[in-house]
Amino acid sequence: MWGGACMLKHKINYASKKELASFFVTLREKIYHMNMIEQRLSAAVALAVRTLYGAEAPAGALLQKTKKEFQGHFTLVVFPLLRISKQSPEETAHTIGAFLQQHEAAVADFNVVKGFLNLTVATPCWIALLNEVNADPQYGLRPASARSPLVMIEYSSPNTNKPLHLGHVRNNLLGFSLSNIMRANGMRVVKTNIVNDRGIHVCKSMLAWQKWGAGTTPASSGKKGDHLVGDFYVLFDRHYKAELLRLESQGMSRAEAEAQSALMAEAREMLRAWEAGDPEVIALWQMMNGWVYEGFDETYRRLGVDFDRIYYESQTYLEGKKTVLDGLERGIFSRREDGSVWADLTADGLDEKLLLRSDGTSVYMTQDIGTAKLRFDDCPFDRMIYVVGNEQNYHFRALSVLLDKLGFAFGKSLVHFSYGMVELPEGRMKSREGTVVDADDLMDEMIAAARGISGELGKLDGLKDGDADEIIRMIGLGALKYFILKVDPRKNMVFNPKESIDFNGNTASFIQYAHARICSVLRKAEAQGLSLPGPLPLSLAIVPKEEALIRRLSEYADIVREAGDTYSPACIANYVYELVKEFNQFYHDCSILNEPDEATKSLRLSLAVNTAKIIRSGMSLLGIDVPDRM
């Protein structure tokens, strides 16, 4: 409760005494986080306008956070009120400010800068906020219930012809973090993956192994299965390019050479044999895919991501073909003379879309239709979110329209979480040419870099080898994850491993070290027999650095909501960074364990405990571990 310092002042000098008293008594009986304080002040402003001017405040009269260069916490722009007040901007602001200071205990002071009314929130309100944060172990997170919306989130979507690479890393980290964030916003979440385990690209690897593999296996080669299969995909491309050059040297154009390629014809024939159920081709496919799945699982475990349901295109494409043919019978789609099936989406601002080739084989769109249907049959969701790069924006626009035309209610609610590409300082990666950054190699390199930098700085001196290894893993993988997730997902980004591990910048290492330092302070407090008390008295005085840290802590709930509303893990990442910077400034200026005043010491211990709590919570939403020691 607010307590004596935030009690309603008992004297009312305006006409609506009963209304005002009832209004403010109701407010004072609640504890508010930052957004609730803003709502409280907004409601008080509305009542002030109604009481002072006998009119309702227009929608444009909104509070906003006061700019750093001015004194105050919230600012009311009074210009939209001038038509009602019939006063100058300065007079209107002073009149409303005086009303709020007299009748709203949350307003300690105010100042006017032209048409801007800057309100200063009373100290007891900040203490109440800290008490609220401290009282809730899961502050900022909303639990799901049986009635919560069910959200299915697809991410990863690997091809079984190559290992996971840096692009997949961004996809997986975004998808996994988004799943955590949606769950933190009170939604039920199902994490799903669709494995692209069929198609011409898979047949290329299979054909290359059949021709030039000489029976090699992951065991005989000492390679992870996904790496081995990826090598054969690259090998196919090399032989294919060599064949094209040979045909072109005989006078053919590039298009003619591609049409005459015997190697590509063999790959297409293998795909047709696979779809026809040829036992030998199916056996080869099962063996090589099995190698890949084992490799994928190991990479996922290291990366710290997982899935609730996994679908395979080899199972969903038939459902897609069936659904498309049903749409053909209902006149939704049309068949051309060569036997191919198309959807005319020109009326929807798109183009004509191929759904079945002339030989009856399906395309990606067909498979996505089948996958969506099977998923909804298995798990009726309220929202389907696809975490896929922005080069597929058009594809998902078309998929949404097609699902709607086919009668699936979830078609219109489809969400494409479109993110930008990740590149290296030297440019884009190319899978066929083998110039990708392998996910496993990248994680190894990040951990090695963390070991080297930590050793140079002496961060892990005195720790046992096993403990040091675990912390080094946290630092290395945390650096990778944070560097990727702190960027607005809609933007393209350049990943530079050298910049990602820095103990003095917007990095996971900086945040992790701050958390470890707080834990060290708390261990010393425990050794001194200090314990965190219950609710702090609202009469406590606080200094500006303490207030600023409380404000930052209380913003966490709003940041979690914003991240969910905007599908942006970057909101969480950059908030935690700002929180750590705020704590470091507080820690520099305000002694904790050596503070002689016991009440102030309790306040500062509470600030340290809750800063560590919010750091752990925020980083956990990003899938990043924070060590207790560094």
Side-chain angles (χ1 to χ4, degrees):
M1 301 304 170
W2 287 106
C6 279
M7 293 289 284
L8 171 68
K9 297 180 180 180
H10 65 280
K11 265 199 167 183
I12 304 291
N13 296 324
Y14 294 85
S16 311
K17 293 183 180 180
K18 185 174 181 181
E19 180 187 10
L20 287 168
S22 173
F23 178 80
F24 287 121
V25 167
T26 300
L27 286 177
R28 80 161 189 261
E29 291 175 347
K30 299 178 181 179
I31 295 177
Y32 294 84
H33 57 68
M34 189 69 176
N35 189 48
M36 294 293 279
I37 288 180
E38 185 175 354
Q39 291 176 8
R40 172 178 181 168
L41 294 178
S42 294
V45 167
L47 186 59
V49 172
R50 191 182 315 133
T51 304
L52 293 168
Y53 305 117
E56 296 297 324
L62 299 176
L63 284 170
Q64 54 190 248
K65 290 182 181 178
T66 303
K67 294 181 179 180
K68 291 183 179 180
E69 58 266 31
F70 298 106
Q71 181 182 356
H73 300 112
F74 292 97
T75 296
L76 174 69
V77 181
V78 302
F79 294 108
L81 302 174
L82 302 185
R83 181 179 57 83
I84 297 171
S85 70
K86 309 299 184 184
Q87 297 173 320
S88 70
E90 291 81 358
E91 290 175 316
T92 302
H94 275 289
T95 302
I96 295 174
F99 177 92
L100 293 175
Q101 188 175 18
Q102 181 177 4
H103 300 298
E104 170 52 81
V107 177
D109 198 5
F110 73 93
N111 67 85
V112 176
V113 180
K114 297 183 178 179
F116 300 91
L117 171 60
N118 301 317
L119 303 173
T120 299
V121 176
T123 295
C125 297
W126 300 118
I127 302 297
L129 274 173
L130 179 58
N131 284 337
E132 181 189 1
V133 174
N134 184 62
D136 186 356
Q138 300 296 316
Y139 179 79
L141 313 182
R142 290 185 286 176
S145 69
R147 292 186 174 183
S148 297
L150 179 61
V151 178
M152 182 174 280
I153 302 178
E154 175 195 292
Y155 57 95
S156 196
S157 308
N159 296 325
T160 58
N161 62 311
K162 54 190 175 184
L164 303 178
H165 55 63
L166 178 56
H168 292 111
V169 170
R170 189 180 197 192
N171 180 290
N172 278 275
L173 296 180
L174 286 171
F176 184 75
S177 179
L178 182 63
S179 300
N180 291 339
I181 290 168
M182 300 307 282
R183 188 177 291 110
N185 278 281
M187 299 185 185
R188 294 177 295 144
V189 174
V190 176
K191 297 172 289 185
T192 186
N193 186 2
I194 176 69
V195 179
N196 303 310
D197 64 338
R198 62 170 296 279
I200 191 67
H201 55 288
V202 176
C203 289
K204 289 176 182 179
S205 294
M206 292 165 57
L207 183 61
W209 183 88
Q210 196 176 62
K211 283 179 168 293
W212 307 295
T216 187
T217 67
S220 66
S221 65
K223 283 193 171 185
K224 281 181 73 215
D226 52 335
H227 290 193
L228 179 63
V229 172
D231 288 345
F232 284 107
Y233 180 66
V234 173
L235 185 61
F236 177 94
D237 189 63
R238 289 175 184 167
H239 281 273
Y240 176 58
K241 286 181 175 177
E243 182 185 25
L244 294 181
L245 287 174
R246 187 174 64 254
L247 294 173
E248 287 176 336
S249 69
Q250 298 172 6
M252 293 186 187
S253 66
R254 173 53 64 102
E256 290 171 334
E258 289 174 348
Q260 293 297 317
S261 167
L263 192 58
M264 189 61 74
E266 285 187 79
R268 293 195 187 99
E269 179 55 36
M270 180 173 278
L271 176 60
R272 282 191 287 271
W274 182 91
E275 293 204 5
D278 182 280
E280 184 177 338
V281 174
I282 294 295
L284 175 61
W285 171 78
Q286 290 174 335
M287 178 182 71
M288 295 183 70
N289 274 355
W291 298 344
V292 173
Y293 298 150
E294 289 182 7
F296 283 172
D297 288 345
E298 182 180 336
T299 304
Y300 289 140
R301 282 193 297 271
R302 292 188 68 194
L303 198 56
V305 303
D306 58 11
F307 310 94
D308 301 309
R309 293 174 181 265
I310 298 180
Y311 293 83
Y312 300 89
E313 285 193 355
S314 58
Q315 299 168 352
T316 66
Y317 86 102
L318 291 175
E319 187 67 34
K321 290 177 69 173
K322 178 182 175 183
T323 305
V324 167
L325 290 174
D326 177 66
L328 180 64
E329 290 182 7
R330 290 191 283 149
I332 300 172
F333 309 133
S334 61
R335 189 186 294 276
R336 294 188 177 176
E337 291 183 1
D338 64 355
S340 59
V341 176
W342 292 74
D344 186 354
L345 306 181
T346 54
D348 300 282
L350 303 172
D351 61 6
E352 294 181 298
K353 196 70 181 175
L354 174 67
L355 298 178
L356 289 175
R357 299 186 185 94
S358 58
D359 60 3
T361 57
S362 63
V363 295
Y364 279 121
M365 184 63 76
T366 317
Q367 294 158 182
D368 278 346
I369 290 172
T371 304
K373 181 181 182 301
L374 286 175
R375 283 172 172 162
F376 191 77
D377 290 344
D378 292 344
C379 189
F381 46 78
D382 298 291
R383 192 187 316 172
M384 180 71 216
I385 302 174
Y386 293 86
V387 181
V388 182
N390 56 19
E391 77 278 11
Q392 295 295 326
N393 286 349
Y394 187 89
H395 175 88
F396 284 99
R397 285 177 58 200
L399 177 61
S400 178
V401 172
L402 287 167
L403 290 171
D404 184 54
K405 287 182 179 295
L406 286 165
F408 297 114
F410 57 84
K412 289 183 178 179
S413 63
L414 179 156
V415 176
H416 175 205
F417 177 17
S418 172
Y419 64 90
M421 294 296 98
V422 57
E423 300 178 359
L424 299 170
E426 55 269 23
R428 296 190 65 177
M429 302 176 291
K430 297 180 181 179
S431 298
R432 286 189 297 273
E433 297 177 9
T435 60
V436 300
V437 175
D438 178 82
D440 296 305
D441 292 343
L442 179 60
M443 286 188 280
D444 289 340
E445 291 173 10
M446 295 300 297
I447 292 171
R451 186 181 301 278
I453 294 174
S454 298
E456 290 175 9
L457 299 177
K459 296 292 185 183
L460 304 178
D461 291 349
L463 290 179
K464 296 178 181 179
D465 290 344
D467 293 338
D469 288 343
E470 178 60 12
I471 292 173
I472 287 168
R473 182 195 67 80
M474 290 185 188
I475 295 172
L477 295 185
L480 169 64
K481 295 177 182 182
Y482 186 86
F483 195 88
I484 287 175
L485 293 175
K486 73 178 181 179
V487 178
D488 182 340
R490 295 167 296 183
K491 296 181 179 179
N492 292 345
M493 66 168 294
V494 176
F495 178 75
N496 189 332
K498 294 179 181 179
E499 295 179 3
S500 64
I501 301 180
D502 186 344
F503 286 86
N504 295 295
N506 187 4
T507 64
S509 309
F510 176 74
I511 294 168
Q512 289 169 324
Y513 182 67
H515 178 266
R517 180 163 61 180
I518 296 172
C519 290
S520 176
V521 171
L522 298 179
R523 284 193 295 270
K524 291 177 182 177
E526 185 178 9
Q528 294 178 17
L530 299 175
S531 59
L532 189 65
L536 298 164
L538 300 184
S539 57
L540 267 177
I542 59 175
V543 298
K545 292 296 183 185
E546 294 165 338
E547 178 194 296
L549 185 53
I550 294 171
R551 290 176 64 188
R552 188 72 69 181
L553 287 168
S554 68
E555 292 171 352
Y556 182 56
D558 293 334
I559 293 296
V560 172
R561 277 195 297 278
E562 180 185 351
D565 292 342
T566 60
Y567 305 109
S568 179
C571 291
I572 303 292
N574 290 290
Y575 163 80
V576 176
Y577 172 61
E578 293 298 329
L579 172 64
V580 167
K581 287 200 302 180
E582 199 74 67
F583 177 84
N584 286 347
Q585 293 176 20
F586 153 79
Y587 187 73
H588 179 270
D589 291 356
C590 303
S591 174
I592 299 177
L593 299 182
N594 294 325
E595 167 58 43
D597 183 76
E598 292 300 320
T600 301
K601 183 185 293 185
S602 294
L603 166 70
R604 293 176 181 175
L605 275 173
S606 181
L607 286 170
V609 166
N610 287 289
T611 298
K613 178 176 75 179
I614 298 301
I615 289 173
R616 285 193 300 273
S617 177
M619 295 295 268
S620 177
L621 293 182
L622 302 178
I624 299 174
D625 297 320
V626 287
D628 294 339
R629 301 172 187 270
M630 280 179 70

